[in-house]
Amino acid sequence: WPSGTPFELYIFTSTLGEFVMANSTMVYHVGDLTMGEWYDGPNKDGKRSFLARLPATPELQNNGSLFLHIVAAKQGAEINPLSPDYNKYDVVALSKMWTRYKKRKIKA
């Protein structure tokens, strides 16, 4: 996207590695970003922060995985890949595993 393009940022969580809106929970959205603007935000340093409460589902409590899905989209663009209005050139998405599987150690 060219510098000056207005865009929005979304952060979702889910237990699936692939971004599916129906199975994801949005934990953050900011809609007033501009491509190439490195000195925005509350302190004009380009940084933003947020707090979110994530439910500890039984699956997570039993060593399940939690994924973050980060989606950047041009302002007003459809972010749901299943929507007929979705345009893959208006959306950039990245998924990362946030939790890691830890094998339980049993002491004998």
Side-chain angles (χ1 to χ4, degrees):
W1 301 333
S3 186
T5 302
F7 72 101
E8 301 176 66
L9 179 72
Y10 302 84
I11 299 179
F12 294 86
T13 61
S14 80
T15 55
L16 301 175
E18 187 174 333
F19 176 57
V20 178
M21 279 194 72
N23 297 330
S24 301
T25 302
M26 184 170 54
V27 294
Y28 184 67
H29 171 250
V30 61
D32 60 346
L33 299 171
T34 303
M35 185 60 65
E37 179 59 55
W38 297 105
Y39 299 102
D40 68 347
N43 298 322
K44 302 295 183 200
D45 59 0
K47 298 177 186 177
R48 295 176 187 259
S49 62
F50 70 97
L51 295 174
R53 289 188 182 266
L54 305 177
T57 62
E59 184 179 65
L60 277 177
Q61 292 176 30
N62 288 307
N63 221 352
S65 297
L66 183 67
F67 290 85
L68 290 179
H69 305 289
I70 299 100
V71 180
K74 287 183 180 178
Q75 194 119 39
E78 176 59 61
I79 64 169
N80 185 351
L82 301 177
S83 170
D85 295 327
Y86 179 81
N87 180 346
K88 66 180 181 180
Y89 299 108
D90 290 343
V91 180
V92 177
L94 173 71
S95 296
K96 288 288 186 181
M97 183 184 286
W98 198 28
T99 57
R100 298 281 185 232
Y101 174 78
K102 300 269 187 185
K103 188 174 181 180
R104 292 185 181 180
K105 296 180 183 178
I106 300 174
K107 295 182 180 181

